[in-house]
Amino acid sequence: MTTPPDISGRQPASSADDPVGTEVTAGATGGNPVPDGPAGGPVRRARRILPLLGSLQGYIGLVLIVLIGIGTQGGRFANVDNITNAIGYFAPRGILAVGMTLVIIAAGIDLSVGSLLAVGSTAAAWLLTDANWPVVAIVPACMVIGAVFGLANGAGTGLLRIQSFVMTLAMMTIARGIVREFSNNTSIGTVVIGSNGELAPGSAQFQKLGTPGARLFGGDVPLLGYFPVLALVVVVIVFQLVLTRTRFGRHVYAVGGNPTAARLSGVNVTAVTIAVFTLSGLLAGLAGPISAAYNASADPQAGLGYELDAIAAVVIGGASLAGGRGSVVGTFIGALILTLLDNVLGLNSVSANWQLIVKGLIVVVAVVIQRPELFSELAAWLRRTLHRSPAGAARG
Amino acid sequence: MTPPEPTAADNAQVPNVIGYDLDTARSQLSAAPSAASAEAPLLEMRGIGKSFPGVQALRDVSLSVRRGEVVALLGENGAGKSTLINVLSGVFGHYDGTILLDGEPVDIHTPADAQRLGISTIHQELNLVPDMTVADNIFLGRERRSAAGLVDRRDTNARARALLERVGLTVSPRRLVRQCRVAEQQLIEVAKALSLNTRVLIMDEPTSALADAEVRRLFEVIRSLTADGVAIVYISHRLEELEELADSVNVLRDGRWIGARSMRGASRDELIRMMVGRSVADLPRRPADARPTDEQPRLSVRDLHLDPDPRAGRVGLNGVSLDVRPGEIVGLAGLMGAGRTETLEAVFGAYPARAFRGSFLLDGRPYQPHSPKQAIRRGVVLVAEDRKQQSLVLDASVKFNTSLAALGRYLSFGWVRGRRERAAVSDEVRRLGVKTSGINTRVGTLSGGNQQKVVLAKWLLTDPRVILLDEPTRGIDVGAKSEIYELVNALAAQGVGFVVASSELPELLRMSDRIVVLSEGRVTAEFDAEHADQEQILEAAMGRRSVIARTS
């Protein structure tokens, strides 16, 4: 058992000469190195950075699933097309999960993301087929539309002080109603055949946003050339950096960890709350066109239940619904676990019903094994067990 | 009864810096409580140890308590007092050593075990459900049920009323705990403990949030409990209280049992020396030559009015005015509910603009404290009363908390420059002597004194002109206290203005140049700290109560 530094660091002899600490720096003279300063070595740097990249347990789970996939299906699982398609299929939900991560770290929840995805997807299909907008304009437009809905969520929670669960539950049904009304309860196809009998150019462009096999850079770049995967990876990187390296990101953690302390430290809690919901809506707006392109149509029922998959990915990624804890990379790992799990189970012809059951169990297991106190509890249990044996008793 | 003999190794490990002789302590202990010495101890802990991964929090600690005795536990923060009482109250599943109750060895592995054995604990943070009634809280988990299986309100309330009477409380059992004051809640906890047929009552800093009159009432209750044979284990940093209340005192340091003393005849100096392992002379008063010469005030508050908000427990202010010159330390004295915290928080912009009015000048320029953000930008910062609730994100690291308010200084093109931030935080942490294993350590794992230093470090990174301190040393050990006093003096010497609110008058007298006394939201007196005494201040603090009662 090592002695903690605050005990070993006390140097009574020198302190006795300096009874009340005549210098401000008195406490620091007692041998208190503060590591992790600018000169921190690679090990320290790793210890600083690693916790930001999700938990070890997450990576172990991911590796396990991959091994099971290879073990049971071999090349059918472990080929680029299969993985690309699996991630691409899950990408819209993964993008929702990134927005959800922000909201959950700020101690909120956003139940409306599935409905907002449907808003984005219907808007995209309408802009494509009726308004004939180019794809480069459609995607930002959908993001703006999503952000406006998100802003309303934020205003309800931040300004009107409605609990986010209630506010976004209301928005979930409002947005769904708007989509159904706007689309007359019919889905809008995005595959438009031109007068020459071929795919219209705008539509052809649009399909690259999500259709399996459609590649951005010709056929050469398999994984990132598939737009949904590329979009997910870019969103993950950008938001991981925003959360860890910007003032706004720090404020998100502070608001979730202790809103009172955040406010009294000069953080504009209301603004941060509004911002995280707006960003979550913005990302739902981005996920919309991808989902529409993947399905080749925008269904007013699109995205039903997606908010739960997004929350599951965030929770598997190590975030706490109590706020203040979580990371985007962790969520990404969580989303990968869910994706590949679905894929492995599907390849092994496990029925969809059982897939649901397994998914639920994974969430429970993930939460239990990611408790911060898990290892200390295990150690205590081990010690207790050892204590009963004679060898352990002699130690006391 | 006598603690186990130390092994040679133990003696070697305990630094004998103060010339304190363990054997002498032990002989004094066995001779000490003469009246009860014939009786076997009710509770005896022998060789208690508790380790956490990487930390031996307690090592070979022994404690014995007789019926009707008040045994005090004394020690700096992190000395192991809380760990010891957590062992006793069953918070930890496992510990080393033996616990005897009435001479019989007992196992305490869960809070339910402790409860069954008649050991109750009143933690510093009270454990009451705010939105339930007083009676329901007392019988929480042991609800009185009628024959039909429903909760029997009448019986519950009647029994609760009897228990409340025993602790001298007159609140209605039907009242919501939320509506009771902290002192009342404390006594409700005592009533709850009584309802459990408590034989050993552990009290952790029960007076830290109480005003003097309320402390006196609590002491009366404690005395009546001991007269009934209840044994009390009492933790407090306030030596004056222990002198009045305790029969004997046990000192812990760095997780080890240092010694025990009969309270009668134990000198403060000696106890402090045992606690800190070094000699702390009576803390110095602020030297007269450190006081600023006449200058334009740095902060000037005129006629500050604040609307009360009973639901948030906020009292009103009825025209508070005060000036702080650069380098001056102004003390704010007053009883509970006099408006000390409210004055500081209003100046810091913690209240909505519609709730208060008054005129403020900062360095001669108008100042409108409409949000903490704005106050911080103008150089006015508040070290709030409640570290854990108001000042720190406990789950986050030392670095996160320290740089939170000053992040804007480490940005370039919107990105936080990690290297610059770490360098600034490390410097500040080192300068204030925060004892932490690193700047990425979770702040929640630090002791109270070190947490408070992190809060100070956070504000110092913003280069403040005026620092408002609300109970700056509450729940902090003697060593850290004097370090904070020194720090305040050093900052004042650099021209920072301070307003310090404290419920400990000796602390105010020690720290301040000038003391402003509040009562019922008004300034009732102002004293030069050098010539003021406690009696005068107390008189002013209690003054004009009847006259002002109309307005509040």
Side-chain angles (χ1 to χ4, degrees), chain A residues 25-385:
Chain A
T25 53
T29 58
N32 273 299
V34 183
D36 301 346
V43 175
R44 277 181 184 148
R45 189 165 309 147
R47 277 177 53 187
R48 197 177 68 236
I49 291 169
L50 282 181
L52 301 175
L53 300 180
S55 64
L56 182 64
Q57 291 94 318
Y59 289 95
I60 292 173
L62 190 58
V63 168
L64 274 180
I65 289 170
V66 169
L67 289 180
I68 293 172
I70 295 172
T72 55
Q73 295 295 327
R76 268 184 78 201
F77 171 79
N79 76 67
V80 174
D81 282 333
N82 179 52
I83 303 290
T84 308
N85 288 336
I87 300 175
Y89 171 61
F90 199 84
R93 276 171 282 181
I95 292 171
L96 298 183
V98 172
M100 188 73 78
T101 309
L102 263 71
V103 175
I104 284 179
I105 290 174
I109 190 109
D110 189 348
L111 299 178
S112 69
V113 289
S115 296
L116 296 190
L117 177 141
V119 169
S121 117
T122 298
W126 184 82
L127 289 174
L128 176 76
T129 55
D130 281 32
N132 287 317
W133 281 29
V135 173
V136 285
I138 289 175
V139 174
C142 290
M143 291 168 76
V144 169
I145 293 170
V148 169
F149 280 86
L151 185 69
N153 278 332
T157 9
L159 296 175
L160 299 180
R161 311 268 155 100
I162 302 169
Q163 285 171 337
S164 61
F165 189 101
V166 177
M167 180 64 217
T168 59
L169 183 69
M171 183 58 79
M172 176 172 142
T173 68
I174 292 169
R176 184 66 67 187
I178 290 174
V179 168
R180 289 168 58 156
E181 180 65 26
F182 182 83
S183 66
N184 281 323
N185 280 329
T186 50
S187 47
I188 306 171
T190 58
V191 180
V192 181
I193 307 298
S195 49
N196 57 0
E198 285 180 11
L199 208 55
S203 176
Q205 280 293 322
F206 189 78
Q207 295 318 308
K208 287 194 178 177
L209 293 184
T211 313
R215 303 256 157 93
L216 295 176
F217 317 106
D220 323 337
V221 193
L223 207 59
L224 289 182
Y226 186 33
F227 182 75
V229 180
L230 180 72
L232 177 59
V233 169
V234 168
V235 163
V236 165
I237 292 171
V238 166
F239 279 85
Q240 172 74 16
L241 288 175
V242 164
L243 266 184
T244 55
R245 300 293 302 277
T246 68
R247 174 155 57 171
F248 167 70
R250 296 290 184 84
H251 287 181
V252 172
Y253 281 99
V255 166
N258 186 343
T260 309
R263 187 173 69 91
L264 295 182
S265 300
V267 175
N268 189 337
V269 175
T270 309
V272 170
T273 306
I274 293 174
V276 293
F277 282 101
T278 307
L279 287 171
S280 178
L282 179 120
L283 289 176
L286 167 67
I290 297 175
S291 167
Y294 182 90
N295 295 307
S297 78
D299 188 338
Q301 296 296 81
L304 267 186
Y306 276 19
E307 59 280 344
L308 300 180
D309 279 332
I311 294 168
V314 175
V315 168
I316 293 174
S320 158
L321 286 183
R325 197 145 58 80
S327 75
V328 171
V329 172
T331 295
F332 182 61
I333 301 298
L336 281 183
I337 286 177
L338 286 177
T339 308
L340 296 182
L341 183 76
D342 263 357
N343 185 256
V344 169
L345 294 177
L347 289 175
N348 282 299
S349 317
V350 175
S351 79
N353 303 343
W354 275 101
Q355 289 188 26
L356 286 176
I357 295 170
V358 171
K359 223 195 271 186
L361 290 175
I362 292 278
V363 171
V364 173
V365 170
V367 169
V368 171
I369 66 170
Q370 295 197 82
R371 291 211 177 122
E373 66 275 16
L374 175 79
F375 288 112
S376 58
E377 275 173 6
L378 270 182
W381 175 82
L382 251 168
R383 207 172 315 120
R384 208 155 47 232
T385 315

Side-chain angles (χ1 to χ4, degrees), chain B residues 273-331:
Chain B
R273 244 182 294 130
M274 288 169 76
M275 271 166 72
V276 301
R278 57 187 152 115
S279 145
V280 175
D282 208 21
L283 297 155
R285 272 208 182 191
R286 182 147 155 81
D289 57 5
R291 295 171 190 206
T293 48
D294 231 339
E295 258 186 83
Q296 183 198 15
R298 171 137 277 179
L299 172 73
S300 160
V301 178
R302 285 288 168 276
D303 212 22
L304 172 60
H305 286 261
L306 174 74
D307 300 333
D309 182 356
R311 276 200 313 175
R314 186 175 88 201
V315 303
L317 298 177
N318 308 301
V320 171
S321 300
L322 57 90
D323 284 332
V324 188
R325 284 171 293 168
E328 190 181 32
I329 304 175
V330 177

Side-chain angles (χ1 to χ4, degrees), chain B residues 175-386:
Chain B
R175 196 155 184 209
L176 292 183
V177 162
R178 183 183 292 291
Q179 297 163 342
C180 299
R181 294 182 308 144
V182 178
E184 291 168 342
Q185 294 184 11
Q186 195 96 50
L187 291 173
I188 292 167
E189 286 260 27
V190 177
K192 184 177 177 181
L194 289 180
S195 78
L196 291 163
N197 295 319
T198 295
R199 294 199 288 167
V200 180
L201 181 60
I202 305 162
M203 304 177 96
D204 189 358
E205 295 272 2
T207 57
S208 61
L210 304 190
D212 286 352
E214 296 160 341
V215 171
R216 247 165 260 142
R217 185 152 107 193
L218 180 70
F219 283 6
E220 276 163 31
V221 171
I222 291 175
R223 287 200 189 93
S224 80
L225 293 180
T226 53
D228 292 346
V230 176
I232 312 269
V233 178
Y234 189 93
I235 297 181
S236 177
H237 283 112
R238 299 184 182 174
L239 291 175
E240 317 87 89
E241 281 179 25
L242 300 185
E243 280 165 1
E244 191 178 334
L245 192 69
D247 297 306
S248 67
V249 53
N250 283 260
V251 180
L252 297 182
R253 185 170 84 226
D254 295 343
R256 292 190 178 83
W257 186 83
I258 297 302
R261 277 281 190 273
S262 164
M263 201 63 220
R264 205 182 332 224
S267 81
R268 278 188 197 194
D269 281 353
E270 187 184 12
L271 291 175
I272 291 176
R273 244 182 294 130
M274 288 169 76
M275 271 166 72
V276 301
R278 57 187 152 115
S279 145
V280 175
D282 208 21
L283 297 155
R285 272 208 182 191
R286 182 147 155 81
D289 57 5
R291 295 171 190 206
T293 48
D294 231 339
E295 258 186 83
Q296 183 198 15
R298 171 137 277 179
L299 172 73
S300 160
V301 178
R302 285 288 168 276
D303 212 22
L304 172 60
H305 286 261
L306 174 74
D307 300 333
D309 182 356
R311 276 200 313 175
R314 186 175 88 201
V315 303
L317 298 177
N318 308 301
V320 171
S321 300
L322 57 90
D323 284 332
V324 188
R325 284 171 293 168
E328 190 181 32
I329 304 175
V330 177
L332 268 189
L335 302 176
M336 291 287 274
R340 292 173 313 200
T341 296
E342 285 77 5
T343 303
L344 297 185
E345 291 189 350
V347 172
F348 184 58
Y351 300 128
R354 62 179 179 280
F356 69 96
R357 60 204 172 276
S359 65
F360 304 82
L361 287 177
L362 191 64
D363 283 324
R365 292 197 301 139
Y367 164 66
Q368 287 296 320
H370 284 338
S371 74
K373 190 176 175 176
Q374 208 181 1
I376 295 164
R377 198 178 301 146
R378 294 290 302 272
V380 178
V381 301
L382 169 71
V383 174
E385 187 178 11
D386 188 334

Side-chain angles (χ1 to χ4, degrees), chain A residues 1-7 10 12-13 15-16 18-28 32-39 44-45 47-48 238 241-242 244-247 249-251 253-258 260-268 323-325 375-376 379-380 383-384 387 395-396, chain B residues 15 17 51-56 76 93-94 96 253-254 277-281 283-284 348-350 372-373 376 384 388-393 395 399-400 403-405 407-408 411 414-419 421-423 426 429-440 458-459 482-483 486-487 490:
Chain A
M1 195 59 57
T2 52
T3 323
D6 58 336
I7 291 174
R10 176 164 283 153
S15 302
D18 181 16
V20 287
T22 46
E23 295 169 22
V24 179
T25 53
N32 273 299
V34 183
D36 301 346
R44 277 181 184 148
R45 189 165 309 147
R47 277 177 53 187
R48 197 177 68 236
V238 166
L241 288 175
V242 164
T244 55
R245 300 293 302 277
T246 68
R247 174 155 57 171
R250 296 290 184 84
H251 287 181
Y253 281 99
V255 166
N258 186 343
T260 309
R263 187 173 69 91
L264 295 182
S265 300
V267 175
N268 189 337
R325 197 145 58 80
F375 288 112
S376 58
R383 207 172 315 120
R384 208 155 47 232
H387 194 73
R395 196 192 130 272
Chain B
V17 280
S51 58
F52 299 103
V55 184
Q56 182 84 32
E76 292 191 296
H94 174 259
D96 300 321
R253 185 170 84 226
D254 295 343
R278 57 187 152 115
S279 145
V280 175
L283 297 155
F348 184 58
K373 190 176 175 176
I376 295 164
K388 292 180 178 174
Q389 298 295 323
Q390 298 178 284
S391 298
L392 292 169
V393 183
D395 259 342
K399 181 183 80 173
F400 182 100
S403 64
L404 184 58
L407 267 181
L411 298 180
W415 298 100
V416 177
R417 306 314 297 181
R419 194 178 293 263
E421 183 200 5
R422 284 196 300 279
S426 296
V429 158
R430 202 172 293 130
R431 189 157 81 91
L432 300 195
V434 181
K435 285 174 192 143
T436 169
S437 55
I439 60 172
N440 293 316
K458 169 173 80 176
W459 292 130
S482 61
E483 282 174 35
E486 287 304 319
L487 176 70

